[in-house]
Amino acid sequence: MPSESKFPKLPIPDVDLWAFLFERKDRTYPDDKVIYFDPYTKRSYTYAQVRSAAENFGKGLKALWDWQKGDVLALYTPNCIDTPAITWGCHWAGGILSPANPNYTVEELAFQLKDSGARAIVTQLPFIKNAQEAAKKVGIPLDKVIVMGDQRDPEHKVKHFTSIINTAGSAKYRRTKAKPSEDLAFLVYSSGTTGHPKGVMLTHRNIVANTMMIKAAEAGHLQPTGGPTGEGDKLLAFLPFFHIYGLTCLIHQSLYSGLQLVVMPKFDLEDFCRFIQELKITFAYVVPPIVLLLSKHPLVSKYDLSSIRMMNSGAAPLTRELVEAVHKRLNVPVKQGYGLSETSPTTHTQPWEDWDKTIGSVGTLLPYQTAKYMSPEEKEMPVGEVGELWIKGPNVFKGYLNNPEGTAHALTADGYFKTGDVGYQDKNGNFYITDRVKELIKYKGFQVPPAELEGILVSHPNVLDVAVIGVYSKDQATELPRAYVVPKDGLGKTEKEAKEIIDWLGSKVAHHKKLRGGVRFVDEIPKSVSGKILRRMLKVKAQEEEEGTPKAHL
């Protein structure tokens, strides 16, 4: 029988995100509560200010750009406290938000803009050149590439989003309501093994449901008032808002539950520790490489992190050794969760009270879902036996944009999503993830599709054949992409040539896709009769090479 949740079921309102967040009658905190805070500039948004800015931005979109229901707004930016207002302003106007990784190259951004059908882009001034170049490639007019954040264009050629808020005559416009289960709220992009990322279609219902599911799991633990400072729980946000983990768990959860979100544009260990100490942060969503730093880095000892009551790690598996090391060093508990872009994202988490009893588990199922482990022949596996995890629930996505074949492969006729992750559950309903069916490399929570890198590398003049795999680095607690290269005519097998290939690829891809695991030269790539790369054989080879190999080029 499929497993069901042990967490309480909080009702999921049948409304769109705007109504869910801004038209509710049960809010337990005041209008002037500061929700989003920038610790660098001290700029902030209260609940009322977010609502007002979002509504006025939505009116401006309608007045200035004739924004229609279903229009897509792309966001190409690091974390910023303006992101929530722009996100919900887009929704107010009936639009769909598509966030893009700010590390994307022009080509990578252009692909997402074209695939999503984006009508406009919001970025920040340091990223304007790439945004404008990508816009030109796909035919987005440059007056629809605008900026957010603290920096403004000194030449006044690029509009700041606040100028859209102040559009004359926008008061007459009314909110466009969305159908919760049908209309999309977000188009997030998840890498596929075929190379190009896939547009994951998430409805308003998906995000509303997942926000309530997360609240059920954290209910009674995270509160808008009280706590060490009297201001209630404070969350530290460095996980990217363009990723579904940050989008739901940070942006939506903080506003719905009245938790203050301290927003960092990117991770910096010293600032992370300093803000915890100075601002009395009580909760943080993290990823395994950060847990590793907290367990080992000497800098951490300079700070008092005792206000942290719990951390939640996700995006990649976390080992027992890391959890125990952090608890021993800092007396900070770390629980683990699990989810995917296609599930909005959170499907499992460890209960607060059980974090130390089931270390290594991703926890138990969140409410409103059913899950089962299936054999390759699609037979359900009994408790304790390994299979592929399938999940069904109101948080499961609508499908992949412009990709009916991918959607049909991922979703069963009765609504189960095939996660591509392998594991098992124990007799107490704790779920374990042990491996991946998919071949994606996970670098610090980012997905790196090997086929994409192979497609680029094979175009290098000195590369005859190539395969890319992820090699696990204990030092960094993450997988690193490594290329196994058959050089043309058997030439060039030196460190110098390896570095040249690494640098060459590095100039063509986003930061997280670089060959941090290095290049290894081989005589041939192991392949099946049908020509499929046998990555498992390369993984065995990588393990054998682990002792006494030269350091990977970074």
Side-chain angles (χ1 to χ4, degrees):
M1 281 294 291
S3 181
E4 299 202 8
S5 177
K6 297 175 180 177
F7 289 107
K9 281 189 174 180
L10 300 180
I12 301 171
D14 189 25
V15 293
D16 64 15
L17 274 169
W18 182 274
F20 174 66
L21 296 169
F22 298 116
E23 294 175 359
R24 53 190 285 219
K25 303 285 189 283
D26 61 345
R27 181 161 48 91
T28 57
Y29 62 92
D31 280 4
D32 62 358
K33 163 99 188 194
V34 172
I35 303 293
Y36 304 107
F37 178 73
D38 182 330
Y40 296 97
T41 64
K42 306 292 188 275
R43 199 156 65 90
S44 65
Y45 279 89
T46 63
Y47 173 85
Q49 286 167 336
V50 175
R51 181 187 170 130
S52 170
E55 186 171 343
N56 289 329
F57 181 64
K59 287 177 177 176
L61 285 177
K62 288 193 169 196
L64 200 63
W65 292 350
D66 187 30
W67 206 254
Q68 301 293 318
K69 188 173 184 179
D71 282 350
V72 175
L73 179 66
L75 214 52
Y76 177 63
T77 167
N79 290 359
C80 176
I81 61 166
D82 295 331
T83 298
I86 287 167
T87 298
W88 296 318
C90 171
H91 290 156
W92 187 94
I96 302 162
L97 195 90
S98 186
N101 185 338
N103 289 319
Y104 271 176
T105 62
V106 171
E107 288 71 26
E108 288 168 323
L109 176 60
F111 171 81
Q112 182 166 332
L113 295 175
K114 187 175 185 203
D115 192 65
S116 66
R119 276 195 62 198
I121 311 170
V122 186
T123 185
Q124 289 196 57
L125 209 55
F127 300 83
I128 192 68
K129 189 167 165 288
N130 273 12
Q132 288 175 333
E133 281 187 40
K136 280 182 201 166
K137 275 181 176 285
V138 300
I140 294 174
L142 288 187
D143 65 345
K144 294 209 170 43
V145 183
I146 64 170
V147 295
M148 65 200 287
D150 297 284
Q151 288 177 271
R152 299 179 186 228
D153 180 12
E155 297 174 16
H156 306 291
K157 287 181 182 170
V158 180
K159 277 187 175 170
H160 194 267
F161 90 100
T162 47
S163 67
I164 290 182
I165 280 178
N166 299 321
T167 303
S170 62
K172 65 181 183 188
Y173 289 93
R174 296 285 169 265
R175 175 167 94 83
T176 299
K177 292 185 179 177
K179 292 177 182 170
S181 297
E182 290 175 36
D183 293 332
L184 303 189
F186 295 99
L187 265 173
V188 299
Y189 276 73
S190 174
S191 296
T193 48
T194 52
H196 277 309
K198 296 189 292 242
V200 176
M201 298 191 288
L202 296 171
T203 65
H204 286 257
R205 170 81 173 172
N206 290 154
I207 307 297
V208 169
N210 204 238
T211 304
M212 293 309 294
M213 288 156 63
I214 294 165
K215 185 164 178 66
E218 315 298 7
H221 299 292
L222 297 177
Q223 302 296 339
T225 54
T229 58
E231 298 173 81
D233 279 291
K234 290 184 179 182
L235 278 59
L236 192 51
F238 64 85
L239 293 174
F241 292 168
F242 64 80
H243 191 282
I244 190 66
Y245 190 6
L247 206 58
T248 306
C249 297
L250 297 174
I251 290 182
H252 286 84
Q253 186 191 191
S254 57
L255 192 88
Y256 187 79
S257 295
L259 311 168
Q260 188 177 119
L261 197 69
V262 177
V263 178
M264 297 173 68
K266 64 180 193 303
F267 182 76
D268 175 275
L269 181 61
E270 182 133 30
D271 287 350
F272 176 84
C273 294
R274 182 166 61 87
F275 295 147
I276 290 173
Q277 177 177 297
E278 290 176 2
L279 301 170
K280 300 283 185 278
I281 303 293
T282 60
F283 188 85
Y285 285 98
V286 294
V287 288
I290 307 305
V291 182
L292 178 74
L293 284 174
L294 292 173
S295 74
K296 289 188 174 175
H297 202 289
L299 188 149
V300 176
S301 301
K302 289 167 49 181
Y303 294 92
D304 175 7
L305 308 185
S306 62
S307 62
I308 290 272
R309 298 196 289 117
M310 178 68 78
M311 288 188 186
N312 185 94
S313 182
L318 186 65
T319 63
R320 168 181 287 276
E321 290 77 13
L322 277 184
V323 174
E324 290 176 344
V326 168
H327 192 250
K328 186 178 176 184
R329 183 182 187 189
L330 302 173
N331 199 30
V332 170
V334 184
K335 68 185 181 79
Q336 193 172 191
Y338 171 80
L340 308 101
S341 298
E342 291 88 346
T343 54
S344 307
T346 313
T347 61
H348 296 72
T349 193
Q350 284 179 287
W352 282 51
E353 55 278 5
D354 288 344
W355 73 271
D356 58 341
K357 298 184 188 78
T358 54
I359 295 175
S361 157
V362 296
T364 55
L365 201 60
L366 293 186
Y368 293 104
Q369 302 174 106
T370 54
K372 54 189 179 181
Y373 284 103
M374 304 292 281
S375 73
E377 298 74 37
E378 303 199 344
K379 299 276 187 291
E380 190 175 338
M381 305 302 288
V383 166
E385 291 198 26
V386 171
E388 181 187 1
L389 179 60
W390 291 15
I391 296 172
K392 182 179 183 177
N395 52 316
V396 170
F397 75 135
K398 196 173 183 178
Y400 296 114
L401 183 71
N402 309 325
N403 191 344
E405 193 182 330
T407 302
H409 184 71
L411 292 170
T412 66
D414 59 347
Y416 276 93
F417 169 57
K418 303 175 184 180
T419 67
D421 284 325
V422 168
Y424 65 94
Q425 62 170 315
D426 67 18
K427 62 182 191 304
N428 299 317
N430 299 298
F431 282 68
Y432 293 80
I433 302 297
T434 54
D435 204 350
R436 274 194 296 286
V437 176
K438 298 173 185 174
E439 295 167 339
L440 290 177
I441 300 161
K442 278 209 168 180
Y443 170 70
K444 293 190 176 179
F446 292 107
Q447 294 180 331
V448 182
E452 180 187 359
L453 301 190
E454 287 157 1
I456 300 169
L457 283 163
V458 86
S459 70
H460 187 285
N462 295 333
V463 173
L464 184 66
D465 199 0
V466 62
V468 175
I469 62 166
V471 290
Y472 188 78
S473 161
K474 284 183 181 170
D475 292 342
Q476 296 185 54
T478 189
E479 285 183 319
L480 305 175
R482 175 183 293 172
Y484 283 86
V485 170
V486 179
K488 207 160 193 180
D489 303 323
L491 300 171
K493 291 195 175 185
T494 66
E495 287 254 338
K496 187 181 172 191
E497 275 98 3
K499 187 174 186 315
E500 190 274 322
I501 290 170
I502 290 163
D503 293 344
W504 178 85
L505 181 76
S507 68
K508 297 179 178 296
V509 294
H511 184 68
H512 64 278
K513 295 179 185 173
K514 293 183 177 183
L515 292 173
R516 286 180 172 77
V519 162
R520 300 284 187 271
F521 291 106
V522 291
D523 294 325
E524 64 172 355
I525 302 297
K527 291 181 182 175
S528 68
V529 182
S530 61
K532 201 175 168 79
I533 294 170
L534 299 172
R535 295 184 206 278
R536 283 196 177 279
M537 287 178 68
L538 287 174
K539 292 218 170 204
V540 170
K541 186 178 178 63
Q543 279 180 323
E544 289 168 356
E545 289 172 352
E546 200 173 332
E547 298 302 318
T549 50
K551 279 192 174 176
H553 307 283
L554 299 179

